[in-house]
């Protein structure tokens, strides 16, 4: 087991290094570096300005050298400087990562808390009226374009019935609040974005739970367990649900890997100060340092969660073993 | 059935769009929405429009351009001039130079009470010209060779300019920084690449009032979210009426409008709504008597189509003229913009003293399909059975590019495409994200046919960078210059060179008119329209005057009043 | 398969004792596809979904016919009538009328000449002869038609029908350039469905190939392919999209034949979506193949000396067809949603080609002023993706032998 985990972690690290170089290279392939963009917006910039700025930014060096420089400064704990916002990366990303984490974590836990029981219930009574409505709801959730839903939600709950703020992260310019008041204030702003993210996730998770559970409940050992006279609860949760766990773990791990990468569309529409929009802008604006850090975070999260899922398989299903 | 359905849907939608009444904002607080990103507000290195918009509330420069298009003194007591003797042409080493005396207004102070002195200009000049600081456009700094402080008065100094240009006094971006705060930072980090930028007080401690000398100071900044402003008690001018201003970033224009309607923001700045959205919003405001005013003000932003003159089809001036004759720009402006943006006839805006519409000077192109057809026939492009013209078996087909995602441009693009189709010209749309379009396609002159975009200029601004033949980007000049179309006309080059050094206003206008004559006769560019700046303010906001150029209306924020 | 045939023979022998009617009944029940169909038809909503999808497919196939029947053109602009509400009638702009009249005069010079003379004679127009028809065309359409009819000329019928086209009925209103929303939605169906279906099938094929290679050979090939899959799954899409936007497909020689500037963005969209959607299928196929690899029938085939390709194609593919079908149907819905999201970011299909995604994107800012423009494409996207999801669900139930409810 330990050997397996070590091997996987080493593999993961290798993948991260390779991917980060690929990504760095891709970014450098993209036309238009920060200096080019500056030239395009200001007709007065001269050729000397361009040469000076390029050497100042290190853009005149070959890609691999720039990449090595970046790795060197990263290993010293220097995350670099955002050229777009002109502040150090950690100052820029810290609070946003926290905001994104809050948003994704709340909507994920909420969705799981709602979707798993929903999926189980409808799997236990396939073809019933409950199942029918649950299906309709989750298919609608999966199928709705998320930004469209977000706009509709804003119109309904912020403009037509002004119950909730139309966008933002917290009330700005007010008096400094205590911890709890601040928390209340933030959660007020979180309701709509969480809602629009959750509707989709609930749809997806409950579909998965339902089909995994249906599959599990068809097994012979369920019939055996029933025949043995075990209570319904024990049969469902200990025999059925446990066997439905494996596919569930996979999909949940995949979803959790997005905890820090943010939802671009939702964050944009709600003007939520998360990391998704920042990542998009940093790539569009060739803000290397910000883009690279976000890439490393998002890729490591995916790979890490895959690893976690693999380990959890072992607990969910003792038949799976690791050499 | 369908009828019923659509009526039902209409009912539902109209129900959900009724807006509840909102309380009008007061002088206690004004919340402004913008849709563009802003950066750290260090006046020496910031480049984003949104930052410039906000900086005008907290920082002042020696001179500024008024909304009426006049240069006036701001931090300076008066603008030096040759006539008054406050500026004179001198000769040094065989070169003509200018030396001008500036005096800073008596009670100009930084937010911490320290006076604004000439040394502050020297500090910012020193920082901006340092090789380790990434200032974009260096010329505005390097044009000042030397600053000498008067021995008796620290607020009086002499600027020596490296060239004798008539517009030497236009130093509107030449911002001072507080020596008592920034000097130490610069001394410490000046050796390090970008060291000053990373450690400047504007980054480390942006709410220090001593950094600002405008009517407001920053009380809170959160990049990517908002900036809060409170009045600067040491401001040299009149104290502002509004006790608190918050500028809030809402990147999605649809949500921006929703925020206005729900009262989360009180007004939308000039960097906000799309044109179409603003038109619709204005109608809504009138129909429902909402407490807002939608402002449309003609700006100096020149929307035009660059033609690639190397293209074999576009080489022929008759084809270029036909392209211009076959589009009905009056109709375009009327239909799409309800006449709230102006048709452009060349690259000098009607707000500019250099403007002329005199048919004796320039060539005017009024929409005429027949004229266009005649020119194309002459050029050998004959109408075929498929409705498109062709010559030697080749279809008259052009590629038309612009920035993807810009609604107004895409709208105009499709409209024009249709008009050219009527004239037998096939136009294919190929749009790219802004960074590809500007960063590669245009700057490396890779576009093949037509490119729609805009130039922002200010009144009496030399068109040198966009029509001078040495400004054609190529690998030998490091792809600098913005003469993307590749127009090269020796007479125009000579006029451009003479223009900079001409101190007589009437003669300057003559030179520009010569350039415009060639510009409209040879049609290297299809002028389309001048964009209008748009903003939405609460009905009770008084003394709000939109500028229409890059010296934003926030420059007289102290006059705004919500009572 | 051999063992199956043996069983069939035994069945044959047994059924000799059955009555003819029973035998007919039994034989009727035999074919697999019929069983699947019966199962599928049980799933009411899946059937509804299938019907809706077929409807949309028909619409996209016959978009051209719909266009000629209704006489609407998805690119015809009428800027005097922007943002019309649904169920309204509008008259086309002057520029279009001029072009149409010009075309008519060029096509039928003699009858045009006659009409011009007649118009002048009756005093219906007071302009030069050459401009007579143009002048008439610029008037109110109904008035112009009645004047033409009053001429009582047999030659005028063609012109009358041309004039009749100057008045258009807009079922769903008009958009920001006065174009008919209905016909644009019809053409948008073609683009969106086309992209969705193409992407789903192409990525399923890529996934099938990679997944089966990885699953069948295992070892190093498996490790490499699966790490590539992982890497692609974790790679953020946006930078790749922007790089793609910079590539000029028309310059690639082998694509020149099919790609032109006007459809390039659609091709790019398909390629990008394929690049980012084959991984799930690959994993799925790999999983199934892994479990089949050690089964007896594969072992049997191998001992009989079957080639690797034969084993993969003949013995393994049939076993993964069912999950593939399901993932294709689900993939279509996802691709349509993805296309809409890309359009929202301005990286989608270029104007003036309509797709549901870019129509929705264009309208989202005007959701207060012209709600229909945003609501209709949104509803179509929702409806189609739901239908595909139900179809996939129904197929899954129908194909999966364990799910058969007797």
């Amino acid at each position: 087991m330990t050997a397996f985990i070590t091997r996987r972690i080493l593999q993961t690290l290798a993948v991260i290094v390779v991917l980060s170089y690929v990504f760095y290279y891709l970014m450098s392939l993209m036309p238009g570096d920060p200096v080019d963009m500056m030239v395009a917006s200001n007709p007065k910039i001269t050729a000397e300005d361009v040469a000076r700025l390029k050497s100042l930014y290190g853009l005149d060096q070959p890609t691999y050298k720039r990449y090595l420089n970046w790795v060197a400064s990263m290993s010293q704990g220097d995350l670099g400087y955002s050229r777009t916002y002109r502040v150090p990366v950690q100052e820029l990303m810290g609070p946003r990562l926290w905001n994104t984490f809050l948003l994704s974590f709340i909507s994920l836990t909420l969705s799981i808390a709602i979707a798993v029981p929903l999926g189980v219930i409808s799997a236990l009574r396939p073809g019933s009226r409950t199942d029918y409505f649950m299906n309709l709801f989750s298919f609608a959730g999966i199928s709705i374009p998320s930004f469209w839903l977000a706009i509709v939600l804003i119109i309904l709950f912020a403009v037509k019935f002004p119950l909730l703020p139309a966008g933002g992260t917290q009330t700005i310019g007010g008096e400094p609040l205590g911890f709890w008041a601040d928390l209340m204030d933030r959660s007020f702003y979180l309701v709509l974005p969480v809602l629009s993210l959750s509707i989709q996730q609930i749809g997806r998770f409950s579909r998965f739970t339902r089909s995994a559970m249906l599959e599990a409940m068809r097994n012979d050992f369920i019939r055996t367990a029933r025949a043995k006279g075990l209570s319904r609860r024990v049969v469902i949760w200990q025999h059925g649900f446990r066997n439905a766990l494996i596919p569930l773990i996979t999909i949940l791990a995949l979803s959790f890997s997005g905890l820090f990468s943010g939802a671009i569309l939702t964050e944009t529409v709600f003007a939520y100060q998360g990391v998704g929009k920042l990542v998009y802008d940093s790539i569009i604006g060739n803000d290397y340092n910000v883009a690279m850090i976000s890439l490393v975070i998002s890729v490591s999260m995916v790979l890490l969660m895959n690893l976690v899922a693999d380990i959890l398989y072992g607990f969910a299903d003792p038949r799976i073993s690791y050499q | 059935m369908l009828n019923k359905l659509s009526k039902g849907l209409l009912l539902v939608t109209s129900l959900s769009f009724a807006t509840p009444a909102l309380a009008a904002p007061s002088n206690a607080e004004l919340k402004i929405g913008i849709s563009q990103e802003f950066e750290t507000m260090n006046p020496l290195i910031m480049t984003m429009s949104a930052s410039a918009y906000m900086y005008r509330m907290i920082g002042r420069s020696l001179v500024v351009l008024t909304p009426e298009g006049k240069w006036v003194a701001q931090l300076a007591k008066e603008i030096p001039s040759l006539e008054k003797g406050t500026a004179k042409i001198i000769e040094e080493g065989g070169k003509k130079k200018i030396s001008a005396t500036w005096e800073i207004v008596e009670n100009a102070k930084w937010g911490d009470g320290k006076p604004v002195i000439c040394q502050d200009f020297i500090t910012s000049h020193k920082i901006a010209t340092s090789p380790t600081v990434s200032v974009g456009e260096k010329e505005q700094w390097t044009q000042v060779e030397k600053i000498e402080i008067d021995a008796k008065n620290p607020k009086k100094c002499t600027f020596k300019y490296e060239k004798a240009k008539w517009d030497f006094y236009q130093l509107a971006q030449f911002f001072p920084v507080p020596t008592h705060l920034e000097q130490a930072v610069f001394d410490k980090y000046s050796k390090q690449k970008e060291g000053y930028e990373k450690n400047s007080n504007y980054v480390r401690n942006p709410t220090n009032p001593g950094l600002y000398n405008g009517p407001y100071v920053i009380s809170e900044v959160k990049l990517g979210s908002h900036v809060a402003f409170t009045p600067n008690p040491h401001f040299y001018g009149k104290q502002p009426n509004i006790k608190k201003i918050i500028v809030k970033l809402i990147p999605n224009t649809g949500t921006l409008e929703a925020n206005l309607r729900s009262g989360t923001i009180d007004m939308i700045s000039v960097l906000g709504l799309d044109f179409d959205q603003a038109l619709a919003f204005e109608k809504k405001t009138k129909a429902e008597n909402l407490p807002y005013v939608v402002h449309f003000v003609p700006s100096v932003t020149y929307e035009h189509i660059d033609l690639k003159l190397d293209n074999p089809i576009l080489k022929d001036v008759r084809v270029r003229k036909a392209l211009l004759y076959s589009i009905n720009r009056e109709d375009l402006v009327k239909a799409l913009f309800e006449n709230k943006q102006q048709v452009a006839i060349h690259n000098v805006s009607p707000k500019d003293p250099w403007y002329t519409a005199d048919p004796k000077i320039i060539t005017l192109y009024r929409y005429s399909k027949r004229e266009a057809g005649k020119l194309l026939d002459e050029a050998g492009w004959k109408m075929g059975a498929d409705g498109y013209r062709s010559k030697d078996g080749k279809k008259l087909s052009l590629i038309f590019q612009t920035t993807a995602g810009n609604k107004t441009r895409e709208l105009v693009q499709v409209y024009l495409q249709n008009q050219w189709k009527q004239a037998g010209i096939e136009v294919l749309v190929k749009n790219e994200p802004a960074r590809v379009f500007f960063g590669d396609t245009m700057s490396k002159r890779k576009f093949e046919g037509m490119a729609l975009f805009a130039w922002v200029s200010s009144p009496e601004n030399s068109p040198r960078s966009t029509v001078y033949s040495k400004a054609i980007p190529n690998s030998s000049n490091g792809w600098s210059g913005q003469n993307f179309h590749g127009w090269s006309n020796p007479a125009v080059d000579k006029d451009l060179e003479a223009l900079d050094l001409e101190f007589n206003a009437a003669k300057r206008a003559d030179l520009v008119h010569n350039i415009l004559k060639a510009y409209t006769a040879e049609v290297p560019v299809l002028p389309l329209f001048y964009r209008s700046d748009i903003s939405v303010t609460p009905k009770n906001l008084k003394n709000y005057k939109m500028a229409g150029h890059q010296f934003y209306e926030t420059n007289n924020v102290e006059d705004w009043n919500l009572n | 398969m051999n063992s199956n045939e043996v069983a069939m023979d035994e069945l044959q022998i047994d059924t000799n004792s059955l009555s003819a009617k029973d035998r007919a009944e039994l034989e009727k029940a035999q074919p697999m596809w019929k069983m699947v169909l019966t199962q599928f038809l049980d799933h009411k909503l899946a059937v509804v979904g299938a019907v809706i999808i077929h409807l949309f497919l028909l619409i996209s196939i016959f978009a051209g016919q719909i266009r000629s029947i209704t006489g609407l053109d998805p690119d015809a602009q009428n800027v005097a009538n922007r943002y019309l509400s649904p169920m309204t009638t509008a008259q086309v702009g002057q520029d279009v009328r001029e072009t149409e009249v010009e075309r008519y005069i060029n096509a039928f010079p003699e009858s045009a000449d006659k009409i011009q003379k007649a118009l002048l004679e009756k005093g219906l127009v007071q302009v030069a002869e050459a401009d007579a028809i143009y002048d008439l065309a610029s008037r109110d359409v109904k008035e112009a038609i009645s004047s033409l009819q009053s001429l009582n000329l047999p030659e005028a019928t063609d012109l009358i029908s041309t004039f009749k086209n100057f008045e258009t009925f807009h079922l769903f209103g008009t958009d920001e350039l006065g174009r008919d929303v209905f016909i644009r939605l019809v053409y948008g169906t073609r683009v969106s469905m086309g992209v969705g279906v193409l992407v789903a099938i192409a990525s399923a094929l890529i996934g099938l190939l990679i997944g089966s290679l990885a699953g069948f050979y295992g070892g190093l090939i498996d490790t490499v392919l699966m790490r590539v899959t992982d890497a692609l799954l974790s790679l953020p899409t946006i930078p790749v999209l922007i790089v793609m936007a910079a590539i000029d497909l028309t310059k690639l020689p082998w694509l020149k034949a099919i790609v032109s500037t006007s459809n390039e963005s659609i091709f790019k969209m398909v390629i990008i979506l394929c690049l980012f959607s084959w991984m799930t299928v690959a994993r799925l196929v790999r999983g199934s193949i892994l479990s089949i690899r050690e089964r007896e029938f594969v072992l049997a085939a191998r001992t009989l000396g079957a080639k690797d390709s034969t084993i993969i194609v003949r013995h393994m593919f049939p076993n993964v067809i069912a999950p593939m079908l399901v993932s294709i149907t689900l993939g279509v819905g996802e691709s349509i949603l993805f296309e809409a999201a890309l359009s929202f970011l301005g990286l989608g299909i270029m104007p003036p080609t309509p797709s549901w995604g870019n129509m929705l994107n264009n309208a989202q800012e005007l959701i207060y002023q012209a709600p229909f423009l945003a609501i209709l494409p949104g509803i179509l996207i929702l409806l189609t993706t739901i239908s595909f999801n139900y179809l996939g669900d129904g197929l899954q139930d129908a194909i999966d032998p364990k799910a058969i409810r007797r």
Side-chain angles (χ1 to χ4, degrees), chain A residues 49-248:
Chain A
D49 284 334
V50 171
R52 177 176 51 83
L53 288 172
K54 288 215 169 170
S55 88
L56 200 59
Y57 291 173
L59 292 170
D60 49 352
Q61 287 171 352
T63 313
Y64 76 93
K65 255 192 194 155
R66 270 154 55 200
Y67 175 74
L68 288 180
N69 283 343
W70 178 77
V71 173
S73 67
M74 271 290 284
S75 55
Q76 284 163 18
D78 177 11
L79 300 188
Y81 173 72
S82 158
R83 247 179 254 303
T84 312
Y85 296 94
R86 303 183 184 280
V87 286
V89 170
Q90 56 267 49
E91 261 173 55
L92 184 67
M93 290 194 66
R96 296 195 190 216
L97 276 174
W98 172 241
N99 286 343
T100 293
F101 173 78
L102 267 186
L103 174 62
S104 352
F105 187 77
I106 293 176
S107 58
L108 258 177
T109 33
L110 187 76
S111 324
I112 294 170
I114 295 173
V116 172
L118 263 184
V120 172
I121 290 171
S122 67
L124 292 180
R125 295 192 198 83
S128 70
R129 191 171 284 264
T130 331
D131 184 35
Y132 177 86
F133 280 116
M134 206 258 357
N135 271 334
L136 193 65
F137 175 75
S138 51
F139 277 138
I142 298 170
S143 312
I144 215 161
S146 61
F147 56 93
W148 190 71
L149 176 69
I151 293 171
V152 171
L153 282 177
I154 290 180
I155 290 171
L156 270 182
F157 295 109
V159 179
K160 163 71 180 145
F161 306 108
L163 305 169
L164 294 162
T169 314
Q170 60 193 110
T171 306
I172 48 181
E175 300 304 310
L177 300 163
F179 177 76
W180 289 109
D182 182 63
L183 201 71
M184 276 303 291
D185 181 55
R186 275 171 170 274
S187 46
F188 200 50
Y189 280 85
L190 270 170
V191 176
L192 286 185
V194 163
L195 197 61
S196 84
L197 272 182
S198 300
I199 286 181
Q200 224 171 4
Q201 283 165 344
I202 292 175
R204 175 157 313 197
F205 293 160
S206 60
R207 283 303 299 162
F208 263 94
T209 316
R210 180 180 178 271
S211 63
M213 195 66 189
L214 263 181
E215 187 85 9
M217 293 302 282
R218 273 204 299 260
N219 280 319
D220 291 340
F221 56 77
I222 297 285
R223 214 176 304 157
T224 320
R226 280 215 180 107
K228 271 199 318 201
L230 289 180
S231 78
R232 188 174 153 79
R233 222 179 55 201
V234 173
V235 173
I236 291 171
W237 294 107
Q238 291 203 353
H239 291 82
F241 187 65
R242 186 153 180 192
N243 276 284
L245 265 179
I246 292 224
L248 266 183

Side-chain angles (χ1 to χ4, degrees), chain B residues 2-3 6 9-10 13 17 252-254 257-259 261 274 276-277 279-281 284 331 335-338 367 369-370 387 399 404-405 407 410-411 413-419 421-422 428-433 435-436 440 448, chain C residues 73 75-77 79-80 82-83 85-87 95-96 98-99 102-103 131 134 171-172 176-177 179 242 245-248 250-251 261-262 264 268 344 346-347 350-352 361-369 371-372 375-376 379:
Chain B
L2 262 174
N3 198 352
S6 61
L9 271 170
L10 263 183
T13 48
F17 297 128
N252 180 284
T253 51
E257 196 180 329
N259 273 273
R261 283 159 178 266
D274 280 333
D276 235 19
Q277 207 185 354
L279 272 186
F281 187 71
K284 189 90 178 171
D331 227 31
L336 299 186
F337 309 140
E338 300 182 5
Y367 169 65
K369 234 172 84 180
R370 281 182 210 172
I399 289 177
K407 295 278 155 54
E410 285 180 340
L411 198 66
Q413 191 181 33
V414 176
Y415 178 85
L416 294 178
Q417 185 188 32
N418 188 45
Q419 293 213 318
K421 187 175 159 193
Q422 315 272 343
L428 301 170
V429 168
K430 189 177 158 196
N431 294 346
E432 297 168 329
R435 70 167 290 174
V436 180
D440 195 52
E448 291 156 71
Chain C
D73 179 348
D75 294 325
Q77 303 171 10
V79 284
R82 306 165 71 204
Y83 302 120
S85 49
M87 316 289 287
D95 52 336
V96 179
E98 258 180 52
T99 318
E102 199 185 325
R103 194 166 290 164
D131 291 335
Y134 288 103
L171 180 65
F172 290 150
E176 67 270 20
L177 280 166
R179 294 173 295 197
I242 298 170
I247 299 173
D248 194 347
T250 47
K251 290 216 176 91
T261 309
S262 48
E264 195 187 346
K268 271 184 187 165
F344 184 83
L347 301 168
M350 290 295 139
N361 179 37
N362 279 339
Q364 50 127 347
E365 278 161 3
L366 290 150
I367 189 140
Y368 306 98
Q369 290 82 18
F372 253 83
I375 288 172
L376 285 172
I379 286 178

Side-chain angles (χ1 to χ4, degrees), chain C residues 247-268:
Chain C
I247 299 173
D248 194 347
L249 288 184
T250 47
K251 290 216 176 91
L252 301 177
W254 65 90
L255 278 174
K256 226 172 195 164
I258 41 169
V259 180
S260 69
T261 309
S262 48
N263 64 16
E264 195 187 346
S265 66
I266 301 180
F267 267 92
K268 271 184 187 165

Side-chain angles (χ1 to χ4, degrees), chain C residues 43-287:
Chain C
H43 197 316
K44 288 282 174 315
L45 281 170
V47 176
V48 173
V51 170
I52 291 176
I53 289 165
H54 278 96
L55 187 71
F56 281 138
L57 280 177
L58 285 178
I59 288 177
S60 50
I61 291 167
F62 293 108
Q65 278 70 16
I66 295 176
R67 176 187 177 163
S68 52
I69 290 168
T70 52
L72 293 164
D73 179 348
D75 294 325
Q77 303 171 10
N78 185 0
V79 284
N81 292 297
R82 306 165 71 204
Y83 302 120
L84 288 185
S85 49
M87 316 289 287
T88 42
T89 315
Q91 302 194 347
V92 302
Q94 296 299 339
D95 52 336
V96 179
R97 297 186 196 189
E98 258 180 52
T99 318
E100 287 295 320
V101 170
E102 199 185 325
R103 194 166 290 164
Y104 172 81
I105 294 178
N106 286 339
F108 311 99
E110 294 96 30
S111 37
D113 198 45
K114 264 189 196 159
I115 295 170
Q116 281 167 350
K117 289 211 171 85
L119 280 172
L120 282 177
E121 255 169 46
K122 293 220 173 179
L124 288 166
V125 290
Q126 275 85 32
V127 287
E129 194 184 305
D131 291 335
I133 298 180
Y134 288 103
D135 187 63
L136 190 69
S138 67
R139 297 183 190 170
D140 182 73
V141 175
K142 291 214 170 58
E143 190 196 318
I145 291 175
S146 66
S147 326
L148 264 187
Q149 278 163 342
S150 71
L151 293 178
N152 271 331
L153 277 178
E155 287 89 347
T157 37
D158 275 334
L159 190 58
I160 289 175
S161 68
T162 310
F163 272 33
K164 274 185 181 149
N165 280 338
F166 289 170
E167 206 167 49
T168 49
F169 173 69
H170 302 289
L171 180 65
F172 290 150
T174 58
D175 71 355
E176 67 270 20
L177 280 166
R179 294 173 295 197
D180 182 69
V181 174
F182 169 73
I183 196 74
R184 285 185 71 75
L185 282 173
V186 167
Y187 272 82
T189 310
R190 175 180 270 188
V191 174
S192 292
M193 291 282 277
V195 168
V197 171
L198 214 60
V199 168
I201 291 176
S203 60
L205 290 181
I206 301 173
L208 180 66
L209 183 72
I210 291 182
S212 50
L213 283 181
F216 187 77
Y217 290 106
L220 188 65
I221 295 180
D222 183 34
T223 313
V224 170
L225 285 178
M226 281 302 111
R227 287 296 84 81
V228 170
T229 313
D230 280 352
L232 267 177
L233 268 176
S234 59
L235 196 70
T237 33
I238 296 158
V240 184
L241 291 182
I242 298 170
V243 174
M244 291 285 294
I247 299 173
D248 194 347
L249 288 184
T250 47
K251 290 216 176 91
L252 301 177
W254 65 90
L255 278 174
K256 226 172 195 164
I258 41 169
V259 180
S260 69
T261 309
S262 48
N263 64 16
E264 195 187 346
S265 66
I266 301 180
F267 267 92
K268 271 184 187 165
M269 178 69 61
V270 171
I271 292 172
I272 291 168
L273 293 185
C274 283
L275 203 66
F276 283 102
S277 49
W278 58 264
M279 289 87 75
T280 27
V281 182
R283 289 199 151 177
L284 207 105
V285 171
R286 174 179 171 266

Side-chain angles (χ1 to χ4, degrees), chain A residues 32 83 173 269 283-284 286, chain B residues 37 137 194 223 244 255 435:
Chain A
R83 247 179 254 303
V269 175
I283 292 164
I284 292 276
N286 223 336
Chain B
E37 290 277 352
E137 178 198 339
E194 299 177 87
L223 287 175
K244 183 170 204 173
T255 322
R435 70 167 290 174

Side-chain angles (χ1 to χ4, degrees), chain A residues 42 44 49 52, chain B residues 42-46 55 61-62 120-130 133-147 159-162 170-177:
Chain A
N42 188 345
K44 283 184 178 159
D49 284 334
R52 177 176 51 83
Chain B
N42 185 332
L44 306 181
I45 44 184
M46 63 184 190
Y55 192 79
S61 49
L62 287 167
D120 296 333
F121 284 94
I122 295 179
T123 307
S124 63
H125 185 261
K126 195 165 69 192
I127 296 174
T129 49
S130 151
V133 178
S134 63
V135 170
E137 178 198 339
K138 216 153 210 175
E139 203 191 344
Q140 58 161 323
W141 301 96
T142 52
Q143 62 172 311
V144 177
E145 236 176 46
K146 202 170 175 195
I147 303 174
F159 283 39
K160 191 164 80 191
Y161 299 85
E162 62 163 4
Q170 296 180 4
L171 288 174
Q173 312 268 356
F174 203 102
F175 290 104
V177 296

